[in-house]
Amino acid sequence: MADDESQTMTAAPGRPAADRSRMPEKSRATAAQAGTAAEQAVPGWLTRLAVVGLVLAALNLRPAIPSLGALLQEVRAGLGMSGSVAGLLTSVPPLCFGVFGIAAPRLSRRWGPGAVVCAGMAAIAAGLLIRPFVGGTAAFLATSALALAGIAVSNVLMPVIVKRWFPDRVGPMTGLYSMAVALGTALAAAVTVPMTEALGGSWRIGLAVWALLAVLAVLPWLPLARDRSGTAGEAPGVRLDGPAVRITRSPTAWALACFFGLQATAAYITMGWLPQIFRDAGVPASTAGVLLAVTMGLGVPLSFVLPRIAARVRHQGPIALTLGACGLSGYAGLYFAPAAGAWAWALLLGVSNCAFPLVLTLIGMRSRTGAGVVRLSAFVQSAGYLISIPGPLLVGVLYQHSGGWELPIALMAGLMLPQLALGFLAGRNRVVEDEHGVLA
């Protein structure tokens, strides 16, 4: 086990596990020397601070969304939202992630990834603090967009931060921050309703309190933001330069982007609407929030384990099929017996949502170079989030006009079918540089 993990951590990003042993001896020696140089170039305390900053940043990448989902009924009543407008509200996260995520690589080159993530955490804190107290739906959407813009740039730059600070521990650190993302999601889903009740019952206070976690995340990034080495996404002592990759010419990149988009659609529908589905079926509000927490919380251990499993097999398609099958089973349960089997459906959907750490792992495995990983991450996440925009909005419209959840759940199940196919294609053992996508 230790030998396998050592190979995973020191191999070039994007090189399949089965091919690492065939690296030339000179290349392995050069990689080892580069890793040693990286360790010597950065003080130990700064590296430890980077670990703290990475975890705190990851904890803030989702609470803005499930906290709103847990209180969506109260927010709708307080702001006078229709079901269609609420559906638009649940579509804002992927829209912001797609639009603002595109700018992340350019901002990173200009200011450095640490400075951009620091600014992103500050934007999250400001947006979450202001949005509950503004008047009207338009202002609520605008301040939500501010927080989501901070999340968007940080989303894209998390793989860059890992590559920058932990070039010889990409796999474990990816698992760590994926686990922190899942933990932040689960905490927001689980405690938002009881915390709101404990603080007096105001949904405005219940949403605003999550700004404190973002403020805490800003602190470790203040000294990290001053580190300007690696502003182009380079690790200290490790060049991430490589031939420019025309990502849009790669079938694998498109398969990844569409797979990412469909899993994001399912995730944001779940975060935005699952508590409402359970509440409409007669489940108490506090229990509905706990059920969402179970769905999101299952990703905490699985997000840490799944990337390690995926890195050890040549074809990750069967993993994607297994996750999709769990999703279809969960949707079937919601359709036929939402309240009677609520805990089982929450567990199945939690397993299905682990397509997110799987696709993050695939991004790292589908390019040979660090530069390719950065470009692939920006393309897959930006295009994927844009693809996911219509899903939550359509669910809101169908719910508003049908008066029930049968049609929205049928839509969710239907979208899972292409996700299965695309996940299988994205899991094939190949890299984007081999698909006629490299500039001379």
Side-chain angles (χ1 to χ4, degrees), residues 112-140:
V116 176
V117 172
C118 183
M121 294 299 109
I124 295 170
L128 294 184
L129 182 62
I130 297 170
R131 77 170 178 176
F133 303 105
V134 295
T137 301
F140 189 91

Side-chain angles (χ1 to χ4, degrees), residues 198-287:
L199 294 173
S202 169
W203 63 265
R204 299 180 190 275
I205 300 296
L207 291 182
V209 72
W210 290 103
L212 298 176
L213 183 61
V215 171
L216 184 63
V218 171
L219 302 179
W221 287 102
L222 292 173
L224 293 171
R226 300 192 188 101
D227 178 68
R228 295 301 304 280
S229 61
T231 55
E234 297 174 359
V238 178
R239 294 287 296 176
L240 297 186
D241 294 341
V245 181
R246 283 178 175 162
I247 295 296
T248 55
R249 292 186 177 183
S250 166
T252 295
W254 278 107
L256 273 172
C258 294
F259 177 55
F260 188 100
L262 289 171
Q263 68 81 29
T265 299
Y268 288 110
I269 289 174
T270 298
M271 284 187 279
W273 289 108
L274 187 62
Q276 192 69 52
I277 293 174
F278 285 132
R279 290 176 71 169
D280 287 351
V283 177
S286 58
T287 304

Side-chain angles (χ1 to χ4, degrees), residues 354-403:
C354 288
F356 176 69
L358 175 62
V359 76
L360 288 181
T361 306
L362 291 176
I363 289 172
M365 297 178 70
R366 293 298 172 258
S367 177
R368 288 196 180 94
T369 68
V373 170
V374 172
R375 295 185 182 97
L376 187 60
S377 176
F379 173 75
V380 168
Q381 294 198 51
S382 295
Y385 281 125
L386 290 174
I387 290 169
S388 72
I389 291 170
L393 177 60
L394 284 174
V395 166
V397 172
L398 289 174
Y399 174 58
Q400 175 77 15
H401 291 283
S402 69

Side-chain angles (χ1 to χ4, degrees), residues 9 41 46 109 200 214 240 264 278 286 352 365 435:
M9 290 186 289
L46 201 56
R109 288 193 296 270
L240 297 186
F278 285 132
S286 58
S352 178
M365 297 178 70
E435 296 182 321

Side-chain angles (χ1 to χ4, degrees), residues 16-88:
D19 295 339
R20 290 169 184 147
S21 61
R22 295 197 292 269
M23 288 178 66
E25 187 66 32
K26 183 177 180 180
S27 298
R28 291 200 298 270
T30 301
Q33 291 171 1
T36 301
E39 293 176 357
Q40 293 174 348
V42 181
W45 70 269
L46 201 56
T47 301
R48 289 189 291 272
L49 187 64
V51 174
V52 174
L54 183 73
V55 171
L56 286 175
L59 285 171
N60 280 279
L61 294 182
R62 293 297 180 271
I65 304 162
S67 61
L68 177 59
L71 296 173
L72 186 58
Q73 183 169 303
E74 289 76 12
V75 174
R76 286 179 60 191
L79 297 178
M81 288 185 189
S82 66
S84 298
V85 174
L88 174 63

